[in-house]
PDB file of all heavy atoms in Angstrom:
ATOM      1  N   SER A   1     -14.081 -24.629  -5.636  1.00 97.00           N
ATOM      2  CA  SER A   1     -14.051 -26.080  -5.724  1.00 97.00           C
ATOM      3  C   SER A   1     -13.213 -26.484  -6.922  1.00 97.00           C
ATOM      4  O   SER A   1     -12.916 -25.653  -7.790  1.00 97.00           O
ATOM      5  CB  SER A   1     -15.471 -26.655  -5.839  1.00 97.00           C
ATOM      6  OG  SER A   1     -16.110 -26.188  -7.014  1.00 97.00           O
ATOM      7  N   ARG A   2     -12.815 -27.746  -6.958  1.00 95.00           N
ATOM      8  CA  ARG A   2     -12.037 -28.204  -8.104  1.00 95.00           C
ATOM      9  C   ARG A   2     -12.484 -29.586  -8.536  1.00 95.00           C
ATOM     10  O   ARG A   2     -12.876 -30.426  -7.719  1.00 95.00           O
ATOM     11  CB  ARG A   2     -10.529 -28.172  -7.806  1.00 95.00           C
ATOM     12  CG  ARG A   2     -10.028 -29.141  -6.757  1.00 95.00           C
ATOM     13  CD  ARG A   2      -8.567 -28.821  -6.376  1.00 95.00           C
ATOM     14  NE  ARG A   2      -7.663 -28.956  -7.512  1.00 95.00           N
ATOM     15  CZ  ARG A   2      -6.445 -28.413  -7.581  1.00 95.00           C
ATOM     16  NH1 ARG A   2      -5.987 -27.678  -6.566  1.00 95.00           N
ATOM     17  NH2 ARG A   2      -5.691 -28.592  -8.651  1.00 95.00           N
ATOM     18  N   ASP A   3     -12.415 -29.810  -9.824  1.00 95.00           N
ATOM     19  CA  ASP A   3     -12.687 -31.099 -10.423  1.00 95.00           C
ATOM     20  C   ASP A   3     -11.440 -31.475 -11.202  1.00 95.00           C
ATOM     21  O   ASP A   3     -11.259 -31.067 -12.349  1.00 95.00           O
ATOM     22  CB  ASP A   3     -13.910 -31.029 -11.337  1.00 95.00           C
ATOM     23  CG  ASP A   3     -14.309 -32.386 -11.881  1.00 95.00           C
ATOM     24  OD1 ASP A   3     -13.498 -33.322 -11.842  1.00 95.00           O
ATOM     25  OD2 ASP A   3     -15.456 -32.516 -12.357  1.00 95.00           O
ATOM     26  N   ASN A   4     -10.562 -32.238 -10.553  1.00 91.00           N
ATOM     27  CA  ASN A   4      -9.282 -32.560 -11.169  1.00 91.00           C
ATOM     28  C   ASN A   4      -9.430 -33.435 -12.415  1.00 91.00           C
ATOM     29  O   ASN A   4      -8.575 -33.404 -13.299  1.00 91.00           O
ATOM     30  CB  ASN A   4      -8.366 -33.243 -10.159  1.00 91.00           C
ATOM     31  CG  ASN A   4      -7.873 -32.288  -9.094  1.00 91.00           C
ATOM     32  OD1 ASN A   4      -7.637 -31.117  -9.359  1.00 91.00           O
ATOM     33  ND2 ASN A   4      -7.704 -32.795  -7.875  1.00 91.00           N
ATOM     34  N   ALA A   5     -10.496 -34.217 -12.486  1.00 93.00           N
ATOM     35  CA  ALA A   5     -10.739 -35.024 -13.669  1.00 93.00           C
ATOM     36  C   ALA A   5     -10.971 -34.156 -14.893  1.00 93.00           C
ATOM     37  O   ALA A   5     -10.738 -34.579 -16.024  1.00 93.00           O
ATOM     38  CB  ALA A   5     -11.924 -35.955 -13.444  1.00 93.00           C
ATOM     39  N   LYS A   6     -11.456 -32.951 -14.669  1.00 96.00           N
ATOM     40  CA  LYS A   6     -11.709 -32.012 -15.752  1.00 96.00           C
ATOM     41  C   LYS A   6     -10.661 -30.905 -15.823  1.00 96.00           C
ATOM     42  O   LYS A   6     -10.779 -29.999 -16.650  1.00 96.00           O
ATOM     43  CB  LYS A   6     -13.087 -31.379 -15.599  1.00 96.00           C
ATOM     44  CG  LYS A   6     -14.236 -32.371 -15.687  1.00 96.00           C
ATOM     45  CD  LYS A   6     -15.575 -31.665 -15.550  1.00 96.00           C
ATOM     46  CE  LYS A   6     -16.721 -32.648 -15.676  1.00 96.00           C
ATOM     47  NZ  LYS A   6     -18.046 -31.975 -15.533  1.00 96.00           N
ATOM     48  N   ASN A   7      -9.654 -30.974 -14.952  1.00 96.00           N
ATOM     49  CA  ASN A   7      -8.630 -29.932 -14.881  1.00 96.00           C
ATOM     50  C   ASN A   7      -9.264 -28.551 -14.757  1.00 96.00           C
ATOM     51  O   ASN A   7      -8.849 -27.592 -15.425  1.00 96.00           O
ATOM     52  CB  ASN A   7      -7.713 -29.980 -16.106  1.00 96.00           C
ATOM     53  CG  ASN A   7      -6.766 -31.155 -16.096  1.00 96.00           C
ATOM     54  OD1 ASN A   7      -6.620 -31.852 -15.088  1.00 96.00           O
ATOM     55  ND2 ASN A   7      -6.106 -31.395 -17.215  1.00 96.00           N
ATOM     56  N   THR A   8     -10.239 -28.464 -13.886  1.00 97.00           N
ATOM     57  CA  THR A   8     -11.006 -27.229 -13.770  1.00 97.00           C
ATOM     58  C   THR A   8     -11.252 -26.871 -12.313  1.00 97.00           C
ATOM     59  O   THR A   8     -11.533 -27.740 -11.487  1.00 97.00           O
ATOM     60  CB  THR A   8     -12.354 -27.348 -14.497  1.00 97.00           C
ATOM     61  OG1 THR A   8     -12.124 -27.652 -15.882  1.00 97.00           O
ATOM     62  CG2 THR A   8     -13.136 -26.048 -14.408  1.00 97.00           C
ATOM     63  N   VAL A   9     -11.138 -25.592 -12.014  1.00 97.00           N
ATOM     64  CA  VAL A   9     -11.494 -25.035 -10.722  1.00 97.00           C
ATOM     65  C   VAL A   9     -12.631 -24.050 -10.933  1.00 97.00           C
ATOM     66  O   VAL A   9     -12.653 -23.312 -11.926  1.00 97.00           O
ATOM     67  CB  VAL A   9     -10.287 -24.355 -10.046  1.00 97.00           C
ATOM     68  CG1 VAL A   9     -10.733 -23.467  -8.886  1.00 97.00           C
ATOM     69  CG2 VAL A   9      -9.309 -25.405  -9.540  1.00 97.00           C
ATOM     70  N   TYR A  10     -13.556 -24.041  -9.993  1.00 98.00           N
ATOM     71  CA  TYR A  10     -14.714 -23.177 -10.087  1.00 98.00           C
ATOM     72  C   TYR A  10     -14.739 -22.179  -8.936  1.00 98.00           C
ATOM     73  O   TYR A  10     -14.248 -22.455  -7.842  1.00 98.00           O
ATOM     74  CB  TYR A  10     -16.006 -23.993 -10.046  1.00 98.00           C
ATOM     75  CG  TYR A  10     -16.081 -25.064 -11.096  1.00 98.00           C
ATOM     76  CD1 TYR A  10     -15.755 -26.381 -10.794  1.00 98.00           C
ATOM     77  CD2 TYR A  10     -16.480 -24.759 -12.391  1.00 98.00           C
ATOM     78  CE1 TYR A  10     -15.815 -27.369 -11.755  1.00 98.00           C
ATOM     79  CE2 TYR A  10     -16.541 -25.742 -13.366  1.00 98.00           C
ATOM     80  CZ  TYR A  10     -16.213 -27.045 -13.045  1.00 98.00           C
ATOM     81  OH  TYR A  10     -16.275 -28.017 -14.007  1.00 98.00           O
ATOM     82  N   LEU A  11     -15.331 -21.048  -9.188  1.00 98.00           N
ATOM     83  CA  LEU A  11     -15.601 -20.078  -8.144  1.00 98.00           C
ATOM     84  C   LEU A  11     -17.064 -19.690  -8.251  1.00 98.00           C
ATOM     85  O   LEU A  11     -17.451 -18.944  -9.160  1.00 98.00           O
ATOM     86  CB  LEU A  11     -14.709 -18.844  -8.266  1.00 98.00           C
ATOM     87  CG  LEU A  11     -14.845 -17.822  -7.136  1.00 98.00           C
ATOM     88  CD1 LEU A  11     -14.306 -18.400  -5.829  1.00 98.00           C
ATOM     89  CD2 LEU A  11     -14.121 -16.524  -7.470  1.00 98.00           C
ATOM     90  N   GLN A  12     -17.869 -20.224  -7.351  1.00 98.00           N
ATOM     91  CA  GLN A  12     -19.279 -19.874  -7.300  1.00 98.00           C
ATOM     92  C   GLN A  12     -19.423 -18.587  -6.508  1.00 98.00           C
ATOM     93  O   GLN A  12     -19.007 -18.525  -5.346  1.00 98.00           O
ATOM     94  CB  GLN A  12     -20.086 -20.990  -6.645  1.00 98.00           C
ATOM     95  CG  GLN A  12     -21.576 -20.690  -6.522  1.00 98.00           C
ATOM     96  CD  GLN A  12     -22.267 -20.626  -7.858  1.00 98.00           C
ATOM     97  OE1 GLN A  12     -22.065 -21.492  -8.709  1.00 98.00           O
ATOM     98  NE2 GLN A  12     -23.081 -19.597  -8.059  1.00 98.00           N
ATOM     99  N   MET A  13     -19.990 -17.586  -7.117  1.00 98.00           N
ATOM    100  CA  MET A  13     -20.128 -16.278  -6.499  1.00 98.00           C
ATOM    101  C   MET A  13     -21.603 -15.958  -6.343  1.00 98.00           C
ATOM    102  O   MET A  13     -22.327 -15.820  -7.330  1.00 98.00           O
ATOM    103  CB  MET A  13     -19.433 -15.203  -7.335  1.00 98.00           C
ATOM    104  CG  MET A  13     -17.975 -15.515  -7.644  1.00 98.00           C
ATOM    105  SD  MET A  13     -17.117 -14.145  -8.468  1.00 98.00           S
ATOM    106  CE  MET A  13     -18.067 -14.050  -9.990  1.00 98.00           C
ATOM    107  N   ASN A  14     -22.044 -15.847  -5.103  1.00 98.00           N
ATOM    108  CA  ASN A  14     -23.429 -15.533  -4.796  1.00 98.00           C
ATOM    109  C   ASN A  14     -23.512 -14.193  -4.078  1.00 98.00           C
ATOM    110  O   ASN A  14     -22.521 -13.678  -3.573  1.00 98.00           O
ATOM    111  CB  ASN A  14     -24.049 -16.620  -3.920  1.00 98.00           C
ATOM    112  CG  ASN A  14     -24.077 -17.973  -4.581  1.00 98.00           C
ATOM    113  OD1 ASN A  14     -24.253 -18.076  -5.794  1.00 98.00           O
ATOM    114  ND2 ASN A  14     -23.925 -19.028  -3.782  1.00 98.00           N
ATOM    115  N   SER A  15     -24.703 -13.665  -4.023  1.00 98.00           N
ATOM    116  CA  SER A  15     -24.948 -12.398  -3.327  1.00 98.00           C
ATOM    117  C   SER A  15     -23.952 -11.329  -3.748  1.00 98.00           C
ATOM    118  O   SER A  15     -23.358 -10.633  -2.920  1.00 98.00           O
ATOM    119  CB  SER A  15     -24.896 -12.606  -1.809  1.00 98.00           C
ATOM    120  OG  SER A  15     -25.850 -13.558  -1.393  1.00 98.00           O
ATOM    121  N   LEU A  16     -23.782 -11.191  -5.038  1.00 98.00           N
ATOM    122  CA  LEU A  16     -22.771 -10.281  -5.559  1.00 98.00           C
ATOM    123  C   LEU A  16     -23.088  -8.828  -5.223  1.00 98.00           C
ATOM    124  O   LEU A  16     -24.249  -8.415  -5.202  1.00 98.00           O
ATOM    125  CB  LEU A  16     -22.636 -10.458  -7.066  1.00 98.00           C
ATOM    126  CG  LEU A  16     -21.872 -11.718  -7.479  1.00 98.00           C
ATOM    127  CD1 LEU A  16     -22.118 -12.046  -8.942  1.00 98.00           C
ATOM    128  CD2 LEU A  16     -20.376 -11.534  -7.225  1.00 98.00           C
ATOM    129  N   LYS A  17     -22.035  -8.090  -4.967  1.00 98.00           N
ATOM    130  CA  LYS A  17     -22.108  -6.682  -4.622  1.00 98.00           C
ATOM    131  C   LYS A  17     -21.355  -5.862  -5.656  1.00 98.00           C
ATOM    132  O   LYS A  17     -20.501  -6.383  -6.373  1.00 98.00           O
ATOM    133  CB  LYS A  17     -21.499  -6.430  -3.236  1.00 98.00           C
ATOM    134  CG  LYS A  17     -22.053  -7.290  -2.119  1.00 98.00           C
ATOM    135  CD  LYS A  17     -21.268  -7.077  -0.831  1.00 98.00           C
ATOM    136  CE  LYS A  17     -21.781  -7.941   0.290  1.00 98.00           C
ATOM    137  NZ  LYS A  17     -20.993  -7.744   1.542  1.00 98.00           N
ATOM    138  N   SER A  18     -21.644  -4.579  -5.695  1.00 97.00           N
ATOM    139  CA  SER A  18     -20.966  -3.714  -6.653  1.00 97.00           C
ATOM    140  C   SER A  18     -19.453  -3.734  -6.449  1.00 97.00           C
ATOM    141  O   SER A  18     -18.699  -3.629  -7.421  1.00 97.00           O
ATOM    142  CB  SER A  18     -21.495  -2.285  -6.558  1.00 97.00           C
ATOM    143  OG  SER A  18     -21.298  -1.750  -5.262  1.00 97.00           O
ATOM    144  N   GLU A  19     -19.010  -3.881  -5.215  1.00 97.00           N
ATOM    145  CA  GLU A  19     -17.582  -3.906  -4.940  1.00 97.00           C
ATOM    146  C   GLU A  19     -16.892  -5.179  -5.410  1.00 97.00           C
ATOM    147  O   GLU A  19     -15.666  -5.284  -5.343  1.00 97.00           O
ATOM    148  CB  GLU A  19     -17.305  -3.684  -3.444  1.00 97.00           C
ATOM    149  CG  GLU A  19     -18.099  -4.583  -2.521  1.00 97.00           C
ATOM    150  CD  GLU A  19     -19.338  -3.914  -1.970  1.00 97.00           C
ATOM    151  OE1 GLU A  19     -20.070  -3.288  -2.756  1.00 97.00           O
ATOM    152  OE2 GLU A  19     -19.580  -4.017  -0.746  1.00 97.00           O
ATOM    153  N   ASP A  20     -17.666  -6.151  -5.885  1.00 98.00           N
ATOM    154  CA  ASP A  20     -17.081  -7.349  -6.479  1.00 98.00           C
ATOM    155  C   ASP A  20     -16.690  -7.126  -7.936  1.00 98.00           C
ATOM    156  O   ASP A  20     -16.064  -7.997  -8.546  1.00 98.00           O
ATOM    157  CB  ASP A  20     -18.053  -8.531  -6.395  1.00 98.00           C
ATOM    158  CG  ASP A  20     -18.340  -8.954  -4.963  1.00 98.00           C
ATOM    159  OD1 ASP A  20     -17.388  -9.003  -4.155  1.00 98.00           O
ATOM    160  OD2 ASP A  20     -19.513  -9.244  -4.658  1.00 98.00           O
ATOM    161  N   THR A  21     -17.062  -5.999  -8.492  1.00 98.00           N
ATOM    162  CA  THR A  21     -16.730  -5.695  -9.876  1.00 98.00           C
ATOM    163  C   THR A  21     -15.220  -5.636 -10.062  1.00 98.00           C
ATOM    164  O   THR A  21     -14.524  -4.894  -9.368  1.00 98.00           O
ATOM    165  CB  THR A  21     -17.350  -4.359 -10.299  1.00 98.00           C
ATOM    166  OG1 THR A  21     -18.778  -4.468 -10.278  1.00 98.00           O
ATOM    167  CG2 THR A  21     -16.909  -3.969 -11.701  1.00 98.00           C
ATOM    168  N   ALA A  22     -14.707  -6.434 -10.986  1.00 98.00           N
ATOM    169  CA  ALA A  22     -13.269  -6.518 -11.213  1.00 98.00           C
ATOM    170  C   ALA A  22     -13.004  -7.496 -12.344  1.00 98.00           C
ATOM    171  O   ALA A  22     -13.904  -8.211 -12.787  1.00 98.00           O
ATOM    172  CB  ALA A  22     -12.545  -6.995  -9.951  1.00 98.00           C
ATOM    173  N   ILE A  23     -11.771  -7.518 -12.797  1.00 98.00           N
ATOM    174  CA  ILE A  23     -11.316  -8.607 -13.642  1.00 98.00           C
ATOM    175  C   ILE A  23     -10.831  -9.715 -12.715  1.00 98.00           C
ATOM    176  O   ILE A  23     -10.032  -9.465 -11.816  1.00 98.00           O
ATOM    177  CB  ILE A  23     -10.179  -8.174 -14.585  1.00 98.00           C
ATOM    178  CG1 ILE A  23     -10.656  -7.056 -15.513  1.00 98.00           C
ATOM    179  CG2 ILE A  23      -9.685  -9.360 -15.402  1.00 98.00           C
ATOM    180  CD1 ILE A  23      -9.555  -6.487 -16.393  1.00 98.00           C
ATOM    181  N   TYR A  24     -11.319 -10.908 -12.947  1.00 98.00           N
ATOM    182  CA  TYR A  24     -10.962 -12.047 -12.110  1.00 98.00           C
ATOM    183  C   TYR A  24      -9.969 -12.940 -12.838  1.00 98.00           C
ATOM    184  O   TYR A  24     -10.170 -13.311 -13.995  1.00 98.00           O
ATOM    185  CB  TYR A  24     -12.210 -12.853 -11.739  1.00 98.00           C
ATOM    186  CG  TYR A  24     -13.028 -12.199 -10.652  1.00 98.00           C
ATOM    187  CD1 TYR A  24     -13.748 -11.036 -10.901  1.00 98.00           C
ATOM    188  CD2 TYR A  24     -13.076 -12.736  -9.361  1.00 98.00           C
ATOM    189  CE1 TYR A  24     -14.478 -10.417  -9.901  1.00 98.00           C
ATOM    190  CE2 TYR A  24     -13.806 -12.131  -8.362  1.00 98.00           C
ATOM    191  CZ  TYR A  24     -14.510 -10.970  -8.633  1.00 98.00           C
ATOM    192  OH  TYR A  24     -15.247 -10.367  -7.629  1.00 98.00           O
ATOM    193  N   TYR A  25      -8.892 -13.277 -12.149  1.00 98.00           N
ATOM    194  CA  TYR A  25      -7.838 -14.106 -12.702  1.00 98.00           C
ATOM    195  C   TYR A  25      -7.699 -15.384 -11.886  1.00 98.00           C
ATOM    196  O   TYR A  25      -7.793 -15.357 -10.659  1.00 98.00           O
ATOM    197  CB  TYR A  25      -6.488 -13.381 -12.655  1.00 98.00           C
ATOM    198  CG  TYR A  25      -6.431 -12.069 -13.396  1.00 98.00           C
ATOM    199  CD1 TYR A  25      -6.802 -10.881 -12.780  1.00 98.00           C
ATOM    200  CD2 TYR A  25      -5.981 -12.031 -14.709  1.00 98.00           C
ATOM    201  CE1 TYR A  25      -6.732  -9.672 -13.456  1.00 98.00           C
ATOM    202  CE2 TYR A  25      -5.903 -10.824 -15.393  1.00 98.00           C
ATOM    203  CZ  TYR A  25      -6.279  -9.647 -14.758  1.00 98.00           C
ATOM    204  OH  TYR A  25      -6.203  -8.456 -15.434  1.00 98.00           O
ATOM    205  N   CYS A  26      -7.447 -16.477 -12.553  1.00 98.00           N
ATOM    206  CA  CYS A  26      -7.043 -17.668 -11.835  1.00 98.00           C
ATOM    207  C   CYS A  26      -5.553 -17.881 -12.044  1.00 98.00           C
ATOM    208  O   CYS A  26      -4.961 -17.408 -13.013  1.00 98.00           O
ATOM    209  CB  CYS A  26      -7.844 -18.908 -12.255  1.00 98.00           C
ATOM    210  SG  CYS A  26      -7.522 -19.529 -13.914  1.00 98.00           S
ATOM    211  N   ALA A  27      -4.947 -18.569 -11.098  1.00 97.00           N
ATOM    212  CA  ALA A  27      -3.514 -18.796 -11.131  1.00 97.00           C
ATOM    213  C   ALA A  27      -3.191 -20.134 -10.496  1.00 97.00           C
ATOM    214  O   ALA A  27      -3.937 -20.629  -9.656  1.00 97.00           O
ATOM    215  CB  ALA A  27      -2.780 -17.669 -10.395  1.00 97.00           C
ATOM    216  N   ALA A  28      -2.059 -20.707 -10.902  1.00 97.00           N
ATOM    217  CA  ALA A  28      -1.633 -22.011 -10.416  1.00 97.00           C
ATOM    218  C   ALA A  28      -0.284 -21.905  -9.727  1.00 97.00           C
ATOM    219  O   ALA A  28       0.613 -21.209 -10.210  1.00 97.00           O
ATOM    220  CB  ALA A  28      -1.554 -23.013 -11.567  1.00 97.00           C
TER     221      ALA A  28
END
């Protein structure tokens, strides 16, 4: 999701699994 008023994008991650382990990067 994004909140442009705050210049912010979110990534809500639920039900996390071991294979989700990583460095997470955002990009524009």
Side-chain angles (χ1 to χ4, degrees):
S1 62
R2 67 191 298 161
D3 185 343
N4 289 325
K6 297 181 178 180
N7 287 349
T8 301
V9 165
Y10 304 98
L11 185 68
Q12 179 67 46
M13 306 187 297
N14 298 325
S15 301
L16 284 163
K17 307 173 181 179
S18 60
E19 51 262 46
D20 295 318
T21 295
I23 299 175
Y24 283 71
Y25 301 87
C26 69

